[in-house]
Amino acid sequence: MKSIARETKEKLVRSLSWETTELLPFLPYLLQDFWELGSDPVVMAEMISKYVGISGETRLLDLACGKGAVAVKTAQKLRIRVKGIDLIPEFIDYAVHKAKEFAVDDLCEFVLDDINEAVRTENGYDCVVFGAVGPDVLGGPAETLNKLKSTVKPNGLILIEEGYIPDDVKRDDIRYNRDAYFFEHHWLALFEEMGLDLIETASGHNEGNLDKDSGLAAITARANELIEKHPDKKALFEGYIRNQQKEYDDIGSRLVCVTWVLRKI
């Protein structure tokens, strides 16, 4: 795995419902049954086609692209150029493989990098996708929005999939990682403050290529396989399963997951 700063590792771990960086090397194994990791490619492609003038020169940046599902499927549907960035080598390798499988390898570029570094140099895109990553990875909501703004042209599109706490739910009601989420009114105020025009709120959070029950079952099965291979880390993997169960419960009942479609003014 590419060397990344300890701070970035810790942010990533929190966004993934983990409690320690010790789990990070096991991420590809735990998520091997998933291609779509969080963001719904159908929703993303629909919003891009709706609000971006599509041409042969249209460029999309997918930050923390995972295994490339959004990038590959959007390139296939819209025939636009896409650059995906992630710091997990196995994810990048898989994305490259899927781009070839879907015959869009001429449109897709996948790069192994820390997105905190990438946002310093990536710019001039028509659209940026930041899907189901968690704002803490880029430094909190305000810093995240500033960094995403820097990657797109004036009037460029920013697509953020995120979970928020409804105003009628108390923060203490969230079962896991409650400090990572913000209330809707907080986000809306930030959009206005930072010169971002909210043009649509799309629903349809994607659990991945597996539904909630089968997804949790797959994660549990892979964690149990790792317990067999690494019995000294049993508590680590069992803790991960418990946290995943809590997060699935939160998403299903206490959090609202949406895709915000923002225009850089």
Side-chain angles (χ1 to χ4, degrees):
M1 182 177 293
K2 183 176 180 177
S3 177
I4 54 176
R6 178 180 177 83
E7 182 182 3
T8 299
K9 288 182 180 180
E10 291 174 347
K11 289 176 179 179
L12 177 63
V13 164
R14 287 196 297 272
S15 76
L16 293 169
S17 303
W18 294 3
E19 294 175 346
T20 171
T21 57
E22 190 178 357
L23 271 164
L24 195 54
F26 300 102
L27 177 61
Y29 192 95
L30 288 164
L31 298 180
Q32 65 182 277
D33 301 295
F34 298 82
W35 181 25
E36 299 172 12
L37 296 173
S39 295
D40 190 329
V42 174
V43 171
M44 293 298 183
E46 179 183 351
M47 294 299 104
I48 293 167
S49 64
K50 187 174 181 179
Y51 294 109
V52 176
I54 302 299
S55 73
E57 300 303 313
T58 302
R59 297 170 64 230
L60 167 67
L61 177 64
D62 187 357
L63 292 172
C65 66
K67 299 181 183 181
V70 169
V72 168
K73 291 187 176 182
T74 300
Q76 182 193 43
K77 182 174 182 179
L78 304 181
R79 308 306 300 177
I80 63 176
R81 292 183 294 160
V82 181
K83 184 172 186 177
I85 301 174
D86 204 280
L87 55 76
I88 308 296
E90 293 89 345
F91 287 2
I92 292 296
D93 290 344
Y94 194 85
V96 170
H97 166 74
K98 296 300 283 188
K100 292 178 181 178
E101 178 184 326
F102 278 68
V104 291
D105 48 311
D106 59 327
L107 296 172
C108 293
E109 177 187 4
F110 292 103
V111 176
L112 181 69
D113 200 1
D114 177 350
I115 61 173
N116 284 279
E117 297 298 321
V119 293
R120 298 179 181 182
T121 56
E122 297 292 340
N123 56 72
Y125 288 87
D126 299 281
C127 179
V128 61
V129 168
F130 191 66
V133 183
D136 191 51
V137 174
L138 285 179
E143 190 172 354
T144 292
L145 293 174
N146 270 326
K147 288 177 177 178
L148 295 178
K149 281 177 62 178
S150 72
T151 66
V152 297
K153 302 174 180 177
N155 296 315
L157 208 65
I158 299 171
L159 297 177
I160 303 177
E161 184 184 299
E162 184 56 67
Y164 67 80
I165 306 173
D167 289 338
D168 60 349
V169 173
K170 297 178 181 179
R171 185 177 296 279
D172 288 345
D173 293 336
I174 306 302
R175 296 190 63 200
Y176 183 71
N177 213 16
R178 60 175 59 93
D179 292 335
Y181 297 100
F182 296 84
F183 289 92
E184 181 183 26
H185 66 266
H186 183 192
W187 279 108
L188 298 180
L190 274 177
F191 297 157
E192 184 175 357
E193 178 183 331
M194 297 196 168
L196 294 169
D197 184 16
L198 177 59
I199 55 179
E200 185 165 340
T201 300
S203 60
H205 171 74
N206 187 23
E207 298 289 354
N209 47 293
L210 303 175
D211 61 27
K212 176 181 177 181
D213 292 336
S214 58
L216 186 57
I219 289 172
T220 301
R222 296 305 181 183
N224 284 330
E225 289 170 6
L226 286 173
I227 290 172
E228 289 292 322
K229 295 179 180 180
H230 307 279
D232 58 313
K233 299 184 185 299
K234 180 179 180 181
L236 187 71
F237 297 124
E238 288 182 339
Y240 171 67
I241 294 171
R242 287 193 299 271
N243 290 338
Q244 285 292 300
Q245 290 172 332
K246 291 176 183 178
E247 186 176 47
Y248 270 112
D249 288 344
D250 284 336
I251 291 173
S253 60
R254 301 171 190 87
L255 296 172
V256 176
C257 293
V258 298
T259 295
W260 285 307
V261 185
L262 304 161
R263 178 85 67 189
K264 177 181 176 180
I265 300 174

